[in-house]
Amino acid sequence: MSTPDDELVRRGRAALALARDQMPVLEGIRQEAAADRPLAGHRLAGSVHLTKETGVLVQLLTAAGAQVAWTGGDEVSTQDDIAAALSAEGVQIYGRRHMSTPQVHEAATETFHAFPDGPTLILDNGARLIDMAAASLDRLPHLRGATEKTSEGSRHIRELATTTAFPFPVVSVNDVVTKWEVDNTYGTGQSTLDGILRATGAFLAGKRFVVCGYGHVGRGVALRARGMGARVVVVCRSAQTAVRAHVAGFQVQPLHQAARHADIICTATGHPDILTAPHLDLLPSGAMLCNTGHSTTEINLAHLAARTRSVTQIRPHVQRHHLHDGRHLDLLSGGGLVNLDAAEGNPSEVMDVTFANQALVTLDLARHPDRYPPGVQDVHAAQDEEVARRKLAAMGVRFDALPVPATGGGTREEQPA
């Protein structure tokens, strides 16, 4: 567990205060939860990118009465100043920025086992902690529920549910309209381009920009790259998403064809081994490789290393791989999440919506434990509408409101990558 440093704590508190000012929906929920403290007595284990926005969520959870253990759950996504500030407030923090993959897993394991009697609630990002829970259900009698906030993680928990009978609810907070549109598409689209520009200083107009995947994240990246004048090509593995990309005006090609002419190639699928040896062999010299999916596995780094003669760190977030055949390829952020490593992740205003959904479900699991049955569940449509209403009110936007049902099923739609 990390030890606070005075200067890191000061910087972290300043960053948290700035983020809180830009997250009015979450702040309103915090004030409500601080009044009745529905999480009092709960032990909460969280694995979500430890940015300043996540820190505001963690502060809400502690204000609601929870004991909290947390890890960033990724090689590059933990902001050490935020970790220090939360640690100084009594949150058990595991991990740091720039960990190795084994260290990431170790930090997640420490978070999961931070409480002698185990967690009562889990907040996850990529289903790492939920996987651990699924492997030890008989030893977790006090676990009351879990939430998962990513596309990849939501896909994984649904697959896991085909072989695992969860005795508690596992709620996908990714699969709601407010999360899909505000966070995945517009938030990650903007922060990915922000990361690429900060990392490289590249001029995007006229560049051949290949986006691998056209789910919500891939669509956002493609839209933002086109908006900056890039010539965007979309690569899909689903006929449905290929149709969406085509009718949106993007050129659609197989990856082996698109790779031959790519100036920039960005993976955005949540699946491993998207960019592998055959594609690396086709890329033109000088191509930039980056990832904004969920993990470091979308670009096969072992295949890249096998073709590399030497590596030069040409900029803080850019490694130039000099290949045996004379070409060079520029790898951004070590193949990790470029928007979190080279930039600051999604803007606070965006994460206000996503974390509002995750916070409301977590509080609901404590206040009304019977509202969600065991197994994988969707967020109720009424909650999604309520989050949208709160956000619109915070922005001063008025609309012709229709009656909203008090209860309802989920809002999930299948969205292939």
Side-chain angles (χ1 to χ4, degrees):
M1 189 169 68
S2 62
T3 301
D5 172 89
D6 288 344
E7 176 58 20
L8 278 177
V9 170
R10 185 196 66 77
R11 283 166 34 201
R13 286 174 174 166
L16 287 167
L18 176 61
R20 194 179 305 111
D21 286 344
Q22 298 173 345
M23 303 177 79
V25 176
L26 210 63
E27 176 60 14
I29 296 170
R30 186 191 68 80
Q31 293 176 7
E32 295 165 7
D36 66 345
R37 291 174 62 83
L39 298 182
H42 277 280
R43 303 177 299 275
L44 197 151
S47 176
V48 179
H49 304 307
L50 196 47
T51 62
K52 60 186 183 297
E53 293 77 23
T54 305
V56 174
L57 172 64
V58 172
Q59 289 180 323
L60 181 158
L61 300 169
T62 58
Q67 300 178 59
V68 178
W70 207 270
T71 182
D74 187 86
E75 290 82 356
V76 299
S77 64
T78 294
Q79 295 177 357
D80 290 335
D81 55 346
I82 303 302
L86 294 175
S87 183
E89 295 176 4
V91 179
Q92 298 182 57
I93 299 293
Y94 298 91
R96 54 179 171 75
R97 193 169 182 84
H98 296 306
M99 293 187 290
S100 66
T101 300
Q103 288 172 328
V104 170
H105 182 73
E106 180 183 356
T109 302
E110 290 176 324
T111 302
F112 186 77
H113 294 290
F115 306 109
D117 293 328
T120 59
L121 292 167
I122 288 173
L123 274 77
D124 218 344
N125 179 96
R128 191 184 297 271
L129 299 184
I130 293 171
D131 262 341
M132 295 181 188
S136 53
L137 291 176
D138 58 334
R139 299 190 296 278
L140 298 169
H142 306 296
L143 186 53
R144 296 291 176 259
T147 64
E148 167 56 48
K149 92 171 190 63
T150 67
S151 300
E152 179 191 21
S154 293
R155 183 166 56 236
H156 179 69
I157 61 175
R158 294 182 191 285
E159 293 172 353
L160 191 60
T162 63
T163 57
T164 302
F166 287 107
F168 50 83
V170 181
V171 185
S172 168
V173 296
N174 178 77
D175 296 342
V176 290
V177 174
T178 47
K179 168 66 163 61
W180 281 339
E181 296 299 333
V182 180
D183 182 337
N184 293 15
T185 299
Y186 292 98
T188 308
Q190 175 175 310
S191 63
T192 299
L193 270 292
D194 185 21
I196 292 170
L197 293 174
R198 292 196 200 193
T200 66
F203 181 59
L204 293 189
K207 289 287 193 303
R208 295 163 296 190
F209 194 117
V210 177
V211 181
C212 299
Y214 196 74
H216 292 288
V217 171
R219 179 165 67 95
V221 174
L223 287 169
R224 290 293 172 262
R226 180 167 66 183
M228 297 197 71
R231 293 180 287 164
V232 179
V233 177
V234 171
V235 172
C236 306
R237 290 181 174 176
S238 159
Q240 294 177 16
T241 50
V243 166
R244 290 192 187 107
H246 177 74
V247 298
F250 295 108
Q251 188 174 9
V252 178
Q253 292 182 346
L255 183 52
H256 72 268
Q257 182 179 350
R260 295 178 184 274
H261 307 290
D263 294 308
I264 302 169
I265 188 163
C266 181
T267 57
T269 71
H271 292 286
D273 293 331
I274 300 302
L275 198 62
T276 59
H279 314 116
L280 295 171
D281 290 341
L282 295 172
L283 288 166
S285 186
M288 292 177 273
L289 321 179
C290 64
N291 167 44
T292 193
H294 181 69
S295 67
T296 58
T297 60
E298 297 204 26
I299 301 171
N300 191 307
L301 299 179
H303 291 178
L304 179 59
R307 285 153 176 74
T308 299
R309 173 173 47 82
S310 62
V311 178
T312 305
Q313 191 79 35
I314 61 171
R315 291 173 67 98
H317 300 283
V318 183
Q319 291 179 327
R320 176 158 291 176
H321 286 250
H322 303 273
L323 308 187
H324 292 292
D325 62 10
R327 292 177 298 139
H328 70 265
L329 301 175
D330 290 344
L331 178 68
L332 278 55
S333 298
L337 299 177
V338 69
N339 64 328
L340 281 161
D341 180 53
E344 299 178 46
N346 290 354
S348 300
E349 296 95 326
V350 168
M351 299 313 297
D352 192 24
V353 172
T354 292
F355 286 147
N357 273 302
Q358 199 159 22
L360 286 173
V361 170
T362 301
L363 296 171
D364 214 25
L365 288 170
R367 288 182 177 128
H368 308 287
D370 298 328
R371 182 165 291 177
Y372 287 95
V376 176
Q377 306 294 328
D378 295 311
V379 173
H380 293 303
Q383 178 185 300
D384 196 19
E385 183 73 7
E386 174 62 18
V387 170
R389 287 171 182 268
R390 288 182 183 236
K391 190 62 176 177
L392 288 169
M395 296 186 296
V397 177
R398 300 178 64 184
F399 67 107
D400 290 328
L402 295 173
V404 179
T407 60
T411 61
R412 186 172 66 92
E413 300 172 5
E414 292 297 335
Q415 296 288 343

